Amino acid sequence: MNREELMFAVRRFAHAPDREGFATLVRASHPSDLAEALLCTSAQSLSALLLLLDPQQRADLFAHLAFSQQDELIALLPRQAVYDLVERMPADDRADLFNRLDALSRPDLLAGLDGVEREDILTLSAYPEQSIGSVTTSDFVAVNSAQTVTQALAHIRTLAPSSETIYSLYVLDDQRRLQGTVSLRDLVVAAGDATVASLVRPDPVSVQAAWPRAQAAELIRRYDLLAVPVLDAGQAMIGIVTVDDAMDIDKQQDANQLARFGGTAVAGGTDLDMMATPLRRMFSVRVFWLAVLTFFGIITSTFVAAQEELLSQAIVLAAFIAPIVDMGGNTGSQSATLVIRSMALGELGLNWRHVLFVIKRELPVAAMLGITIALLEAVLAWFSKGVGVDVLLVVGLSMLVCTALGGVIGALLPFLARRMGTDPATLSSPLITSVMDLVGVFVYFGFAWALLGDQLVGAGA
Amino acid sequence: MNREELMFAVRRFAHAPDREGFATLVRASHPSDLAEALLCTSAQSLSALLLLLDPQQRADLFAHLAFSQQDELIALLPRQAVYDLVERMPADDRADLFNRLDALSRPDLLAGLDGVEREDILTLSAYPEQSIGSVTTSDFVAVNSAQTVTQALAHIRTLAPSSETIYSLYVLDDQRRLQGTVSLRDLVVAAGDATVASLVRPDPVSVQAAWPRAQAAELIRRYDLLAVPVLDAGQAMIGIVTVDDAMDIDKQQDANQLARFGGTAVAGGTDLDMMATPLRRMFSVRVFWLAVLTFFGIITSTFVAAQEELLSQAIVLAAFIAPIVDMGGNTGSQSATLVIRSMALGELGLNWRHVLFVIKRELPVAAMLGITIALLEAVLAWFSKGVGVDVLLVVGLSMLVCTALGGVIGALLPFLARRMGTDPATLSSPLITSVMDLVGVFVYFGFAWALLGDQLVGAGA
C-alpha cells in the first residue's frame, strides 16, 4: 500500500472506526508509515483509533507518533490505557515523553506504574536534554560469562520480547560494571557447550550518560556498532544507544550545523527550530547576530562616508561598492563551506599541515577566479555604464583582490573557529560576508585613491 | 591503548618489524583506530607491516585504510598477496577498490580471482559512482522458506564467516527475486521445528541498484533497518546495503549539502571536495556561480548608477547602501537555513499548509527584527555621522523593510527550490544575498526618492 492509499485508508477509519479492519491495517503497515499518514488526524479521532487496538499494537504505534500528538493523546486517553501504553513503550521514548509532561502531570503518571518502570523513567529522565542519557534505553540484555552458549541463548529468548535489541549482549559484574560484550552472531556460530567467557570481547567502547548525544553517534559511526553501552558516573551500565537512534542524532546534528552556518548559532540550550522554538527565543538569538552584523556594517559605512570627497568626484564609484565587496563574501562562502565539509568528514583537522594544504589548494583557484571575475565585471561595466578606463581599472583590480582574498580568508576561518574551540559553522555565512565587506571597502577605496586620487588633487589645486 | 600510544606503537613497528608483536597489536585494536594511526606511515613501511599479518587480519585492516594508501599498496604488494587480499575483502570495499584502478590494472586483478569473485566485482562495479550499486555488498545470507528454524540456523552458521551480517536474512525464489525477510532475532526466539515460512515478513522494503545512494540511507533511517536489500533491473537481489554504510552516506550527503549552500552546487557528477577535486573542476563549478552572482551584481549596480542625481545631492546615502541591503541577505540566510533544517528533518514538505505555517511563524519575528535593527542602525548612524533626520528616516525605514522582507523571502526560497525539483541548498547563501541586494536597492532608493526627492526638485527649480 503506498502513501496515498494509506492516508485514504486511515482517513476512512478515522470517520468510521472498525476494530477488525484497523487492526489488520496496523499489522500490515510499518508504524513509521502509519504515523506519517496520521499526522493530520485530530487527537480525538486518533484516540478512538488507538483504543481499537490491543495494548501492544497501541504502544508500538504510539511510540512512532509525532511528539505533539503523543502529548495531546496522554491528556485524552483513559488513565488505564495511558499506564498500559507507558509500560509497554520503549524505555527511551518513555523517558522522552515523561520529560515533556508538565510538573503537575508527572507524579500522576508515575503513580500508575510498577516500581521497576518508575525507577527506570526517573533514572533516564534525570539526564539533561541533548545528553546521551536522554536517548538511552534500558531495554538491553545482560549475560553471565560463566554460562554456556546454550544457557545464554535460552536466557536471551525469554528477554527478547521486551528488549530493544538482542544482537549486542553485555557482561556485567555485581556492581553492574561493564566487563565486555558478546554479539549474537558469535553465540549462534559457536558450539552449544562453549562458555560465554570464551567469546566475550573485553575493553568495550562505552559512553557516559552525561556526555552530549553527538558523541554516542560518533562512536557508533566510527566503530560500525549496532549499539553502544551507556555508563553512569559510577561506571555502572544503565542502558544502550542503538544505531537507529544514532542515525537520527547525526541527522539532527548536521541539520543544526546548517542552520548555525546561516547565522543562528546559540550559546547554550537547544538550537533554533522553525517548528517549535518560541517566538521570543527565535527573536533574541537572531537579533543578537543581526546586531553584531549591524555593528560591522556601521564600521564599513563610516569608512565609506569618509570617502565623500572621492565619491563626489566620481559618483559612479558608489554603484560598484556592493557588487565588489559582495564577491569577497561569495568566494569566501564557497571556500569556507568546502573546508567545513571536509572537517565534518574527518578529512581536515586543526593542524598546520592541513592549513598549509588548504592554502596551497585554494590560492591558485582563488587567483584564477579573481582574474576571471574581474575581467567579466570590467567588460560588463564598460557595456552597461560606459565608464572611463581609470574607473574600469579600479573596479577590475578591486574585484580581483577581493575575490582572491575572499577565497583564502574564507578557507582559513573554519580553522580559526576550531582554534577558538567552537564549531566552524558558527563563523556563519553572513559573518564571512560582513568581514569581507570591511576588507573589500578598504581594498576598493585604496585602489580608487591610488588611481583616481590625482584627479582630486588636480581639482583642488 | 589510547590514540597517542597506538600511534607510538605503530611507529615503533614500522621501524622495527616484529611479527608477533604487530599481530598482537592488531588483534587487540579496532581496525578503524589502527588505520588512523597508520595514516602517516609510508606505503613501503605499510606494505612490510601488512605482510607480517595472516591473510585474514591483513584483509580486515586493509579494508579500513585510506583509499590513497590502498591504491599505493596494491601497486607495492606481491601479486599473490594482492589476490588473497581482494578475495577476502568485503564485497563493497572490493568493488570500490576495483573502480579506482586504472583501466590497465583491472584485467590483471580479475585474472587472479575465482570466477565467483570476478563476477561479483564486475556486477557491483558496473553501477555508477554515487549509486546504490556502488555501496552494495553481495555478502548476504539467503534462507529457504521450506527449511525449519534449526536447519536455517545450521545453514547460517556455515555462511557466517564470509557474510557482512547474519542479522537480516533473505528469502529468494528460483530467479533470485526477493520474497521476504527474516530476522535472526525471530529465528533465535522461535521453536526449532517451526518453519522459516511462518516467520517470513512479506513485502519487504527494497531499493534498486541504480538509484542514488541517499535513498538507501533514507529508507534504512526511516524504517530503522539493519540492512536493506538491493535489486537489479530484473528484480533479482544482488546484495544489501548495511546500516553502517548508511550512516556514512548520510554524513556525506549532509556535508555536501552544506557545501552546496555555500555556493558550490554541481549540475552533475560528484560534489566538490576540497581534498580531491581537480583544480580545473574546482574552478569551473565555482566560477559558474560567481559569474551568475556577477550578473546579478551588474543589474544592481546599474540601478544604483542611475541614481546619480540623488546621490550627488546626498553623498552620505552611498555609505549606507551596503549595510542596508546586506541585512536583507543576513536575515534571509537565517530564515532559509532554519527552513532547510526542518525540511532535512522531515518536518516541512512541499505543501501549502507548511508554507503558510512558515510565513505565520516568520512574519512576526522578521517584523520585530526589522524594527529593532532599524532603530539600532538609526541610532548608530546618528552618533557616527550626525546625519539629518530625513536621511535617518530613509535609512531606518529601508532597514526595517529590507530586514523584514529578507526574512520572509529567505523563508520561502527553499519551497521554491523544492518546487523547481532541486535541493533547497542549491539556492545558496550568496544567491540569497544577491537577490536581497537587488530588492534592497529598490527599497532604499524608493524611500530616498520619496523622502528626499523634493530636495532635488527644489534644487532644480
Side-chain angles (χ1 to χ4, degrees):
Chain A
M1 188 176 282
N2 67 28
R3 217 172 252 199
E4 299 286 316
E5 293 165 348
L6 192 56
M7 288 207 68
F8 190 72
V10 150
R11 215 171 301 161
R12 193 160 47 93
F13 285 121
H15 285 128
D18 161 14
R19 179 179 298 270
E20 265 311 308
F22 188 59
T24 310
L25 180 68
V26 169
R27 252 193 314 274
S29 317
H30 193 285
S32 292
D33 292 331
L34 277 166
E36 194 187 20
L38 288 164
L39 262 182
C40 303
T41 312
S42 74
Q44 282 81 0
S45 301
L46 200 35
S47 172
L49 282 174
L50 283 174
L51 290 170
L52 294 176
L53 304 173
D54 68 67
Q56 189 58 50
Q57 264 188 328
R58 193 183 304 155
D60 289 342
L61 178 53
F62 184 86
H64 281 86
L65 295 175
F67 288 166
S68 51
Q69 287 184 306
Q70 288 187 6
D71 298 342
E72 285 178 297
L73 287 165
I74 291 293
L76 275 176
L77 289 165
R79 179 147 287 176
Q80 190 54 46
V82 170
Y83 294 148
D84 290 340
L85 207 56
V86 172
E87 244 181 59
R88 290 176 167 74
M89 275 174 81
D92 50 350
D93 297 324
R94 184 167 63 204
D96 272 349
L97 176 68
F98 182 76
N99 270 327
R100 293 196 313 272
L101 289 177
D102 55 78
L104 291 170
S105 318
R106 289 184 194 177
D108 246 3
L109 184 66
L110 290 176
L113 301 173
D114 283 345
V116 173
E117 275 113 26
R118 198 179 312 147
E119 205 183 294
D120 182 64
I121 282 191
L122 289 173
T123 308
L124 293 181
S125 59
Y127 292 99
E129 178 74 19
Q130 296 305 313
S131 71
I132 288 180
S134 66
V135 284
T136 302
T137 176
S138 42
D139 296 332
F140 66 95
V141 177
V143 291
N144 191 317
S145 52
Q147 285 174 322
T148 63
V149 165
T150 308
Q151 289 169 327
L153 285 171
H155 175 67
I156 290 166
R157 259 180 225 110
T158 58
L159 288 180
S162 58
S163 303
E164 183 76 23
T165 177
I166 61 169
Y167 296 138
S168 300
L169 309 143
Y170 303 89
V171 176
L172 310 178
D173 68 11
D174 308 319
Q175 277 98 28
R176 291 181 73 77
R177 278 182 310 219
L178 182 63
Q179 304 285 296
T181 61
V182 196
S183 71
L184 183 66
R185 179 179 181 142
D186 289 345
L187 283 179
V188 160
V189 166
D193 56 357
T195 55
V196 166
S198 65
L199 300 172
V200 165
R201 295 168 202 226
D203 299 324
V205 172
S206 67
V207 293
Q208 288 284 320
W211 288 353
R213 288 181 175 188
Q215 285 186 248
E218 163 95 38
L219 287 175
I220 287 175
R221 187 169 13 94
R222 185 181 165 79
Y223 294 110
D224 296 341
L225 303 173
L226 293 184
V228 68
V230 181
L231 315 179
D232 66 14
Q235 303 310 313
M237 181 169 169
I238 64 164
I240 54 175
V241 176
T242 49
V243 65
D244 53 296
D245 282 339
M247 278 194 89
D248 293 334
I249 291 169
D250 258 1
K251 203 70 177 157
Q252 273 183 348
Q253 291 295 121
D254 294 340
N256 287 347
Q257 187 183 49
L258 184 71
R260 278 198 298 274
F261 185 71
T264 64
V266 299
T270 50
D271 285 83
L272 293 191
D273 179 355
M274 176 59 81
M275 311 299 292
T277 304
L279 235 66
R280 196 170 194 173
R281 178 169 166 80
M282 188 71 96
F283 170 78
S284 59
V285 170
R286 289 175 69 178
V287 85
F288 168 76
W289 286 110
L290 294 186
V292 167
L293 299 168
T294 304
F295 274 101
F296 252 106
I298 276 291
I299 301 174
T300 308
S301 62
T302 302
F303 177 78
V304 174
Q307 312 306 314
E308 187 160 330
E309 205 186 334
L310 188 57
L311 281 172
S312 47
Q313 285 296 324
I315 290 285
V316 75
L317 282 178
F320 290 100
I321 299 176
I324 287 176
V325 304
D326 271 0
M327 203 51 66
N330 294 338
T331 321
S333 184
Q334 288 181 332
S335 57
T337 47
L338 285 172
V339 171
I340 296 175
R341 177 190 169 281
S342 287
M343 284 181 167
L345 295 176
E347 298 167 346
L348 285 176
L350 187 59
N351 72 70
W352 280 112
R353 252 183 29 250
H354 287 165
V355 172
L356 289 172
F357 174 79
V358 165
I359 294 178
K360 224 180 60 164
R361 292 226 61 190
E362 179 64 16
L363 211 38
V365 179
M368 275 156 55
L369 289 171
I371 294 170
T372 313
I373 295 301
L375 285 171
L376 179 61
E377 179 76 19
V379 164
L380 290 172
W382 168 267
F383 278 110
S384 66
K385 298 176 194 52
V387 290
V389 171
D390 43 5
V391 173
L392 271 187
L393 218 60
V394 172
V395 168
L397 287 169
S398 308
M399 195 55 127
L400 165 57
V401 174
C402 280
T403 306
L405 211 54
V408 175
I409 292 180
L412 295 174
L413 284 176
F415 290 104
L416 180 64
R418 289 281 292 265
R419 186 77 183 81
M420 288 169 16
T422 175
D423 173 26
T426 306
L427 292 188
S428 62
S429 181
L431 202 60
I432 295 173
T433 307
S434 299
V435 168
M436 293 313 304
D437 276 0
L438 196 52
V439 172
V441 290
F442 278 111
V443 169
Y444 185 51
F445 286 103
F447 277 115
W449 275 109
L451 297 170
L452 303 175
D454 52 340
Q455 289 183 7
L456 294 164
V457 172
Chain B
M1 188 176 282
N2 67 29
R3 219 173 252 197
E4 299 285 315
E5 293 166 347
L6 193 56
M7 286 206 71
F8 189 71
V10 151
R11 218 171 299 159
R12 192 161 48 91
F13 285 121
H15 285 128
D18 162 14
R19 181 180 296 270
E20 265 313 306
F22 189 59
T24 310
L25 180 69
V26 170
R27 256 195 308 277
S29 318
H30 194 285
S32 291
D33 292 331
L34 278 166
E36 192 186 24
L38 288 164
L39 262 182
C40 301
T41 313
S42 74
Q44 281 81 1
S45 302
L46 200 36
S47 174
L49 283 173
L50 283 173
L51 290 170
L52 294 175
L53 305 172
D54 66 68
Q56 190 57 50
Q57 264 190 327
R58 192 184 304 157
D60 288 340
L61 177 53
F62 185 86
H64 281 86
L65 295 175
F67 286 168
S68 52
Q69 287 184 308
Q70 288 187 6
D71 298 345
E72 285 178 301
L73 287 164
I74 290 294
L76 275 176
L77 288 164
R79 181 148 286 175
Q80 190 53 47
V82 171
Y83 294 148
D84 290 339
L85 207 55
V86 172
E87 244 181 59
R88 291 177 166 72
M89 277 175 78
D92 49 351
D93 296 325
R94 182 166 66 202
D96 271 348
L97 176 67
F98 182 76
N99 270 329
R100 291 195 313 273
L101 289 178
D102 56 78
L104 293 170
S105 317
R106 289 183 195 180
D108 249 1
L109 184 67
L110 290 176
L113 302 171
D114 282 345
V116 174
E117 275 113 24
R118 198 181 311 151
E119 205 182 296
D120 181 65
I121 282 191
L122 289 173
T123 307
L124 294 181
S125 59
Y127 292 98
E129 178 75 21
Q130 297 304 315
S131 71
I132 288 182
S134 66
V135 286
T136 302
T137 177
S138 42
D139 297 330
F140 66 96
V141 178
V143 293
N144 191 316
S145 53
Q147 286 176 320
T148 61
V149 164
T150 308
Q151 288 170 329
L153 286 172
H155 175 67
I156 291 167
R157 260 183 225 109
T158 58
L159 288 181
S162 58
S163 302
E164 185 75 23
T165 176
I166 61 168
Y167 297 136
S168 300
L169 309 142
Y170 302 91
V171 176
L172 309 178
D173 67 11
D174 307 323
Q175 276 99 34
R176 295 182 68 78
R177 278 184 309 221
L178 184 62
Q179 304 284 295
T181 60
V182 194
S183 71
L184 184 65
R185 177 178 182 142
D186 288 345
L187 283 179
V188 160
V189 166
D193 57 354
T195 56
V196 166
S198 65
L199 301 171
V200 166
R201 298 168 199 230
D203 297 323
V205 172
S206 67
V207 293
Q208 289 282 324
W211 289 353
R213 289 181 174 186
Q215 283 185 248
E218 163 94 38
L219 287 174
I220 287 175
R221 186 167 16 93
R222 187 183 163 75
Y223 295 111
D224 297 342
L225 302 173
L226 293 184
V228 69
V230 181
L231 315 178
D232 66 13
Q235 305 311 311
M237 181 168 171
I238 64 166
I240 55 176
V241 177
T242 48
V243 65
D244 53 296
D245 282 339
M247 279 197 87
D248 294 333
I249 291 169
D250 257 1
K251 204 69 177 153
Q252 274 185 345
Q253 290 295 119
D254 293 339
N256 287 347
Q257 189 184 49
L258 184 72
R260 277 198 298 276
F261 184 72
T264 62
V266 299
T270 49
D271 285 82
L272 293 192
D273 179 353
M274 176 60 80
M275 311 301 289
T277 303
L279 237 62
R280 198 172 195 170
R281 179 168 166 79
M282 189 69 100
F283 170 77
S284 60
V285 171
R286 291 174 69 177
V287 86
F288 167 76
W289 286 109
L290 294 185
V292 167
L293 298 167
T294 305
F295 274 101
F296 251 105
I298 276 290
I299 300 172
T300 308
S301 63
T302 302
F303 176 78
V304 173
Q307 311 307 315
E308 186 160 330
E309 207 187 330
L310 188 58
L311 282 171
S312 47
Q313 285 296 325
I315 290 285
V316 75
L317 282 179
F320 291 101
I321 297 176
I324 288 176
V325 304
D326 271 359
M327 203 51 67
N330 294 337
T331 322
S333 184
Q334 289 181 334
S335 57
T337 47
L338 286 171
V339 171
I340 295 174
R341 178 190 167 281
S342 287
M343 284 181 167
L345 296 176
E347 299 166 342
L348 286 175
L350 187 60
N351 72 69
W352 280 113
R353 254 187 23 255
H354 287 166
V355 173
L356 288 172
F357 173 81
V358 164
I359 293 178
K360 225 181 59 168
R361 293 226 59 190
E362 179 65 17
L363 210 39
V365 179
M368 276 156 54
L369 290 169
I371 293 170
T372 313
I373 296 301
L375 285 171
L376 179 61
E377 179 77 19
V379 164
L380 290 172
W382 168 266
F383 277 110
S384 67
K385 299 176 192 49
V387 289
V389 170
D390 43 5
V391 172
L392 271 187
L393 218 60
V394 172
V395 167
L397 285 169
S398 308
M399 195 55 126
L400 164 60
V401 174
C402 282
T403 306
L405 210 53
V408 175
I409 292 180
L412 294 176
L413 283 177
F415 290 104
L416 179 63
R418 288 281 293 264
R419 188 75 184 79
M420 287 169 16
T422 175
D423 172 25
T426 305
L427 292 189
S428 62
S429 181
L431 202 58
I432 294 171
T433 308
S434 298
V435 166
M436 291 315 303
D437 277 0
L438 196 51
V439 171
V441 291
F442 277 111
V443 169
Y444 185 52
F445 285 104
F447 277 116
W449 275 109
L451 297 169
L452 303 174
D454 51 342
Q455 291 184 5
L456 294 164
V457 173

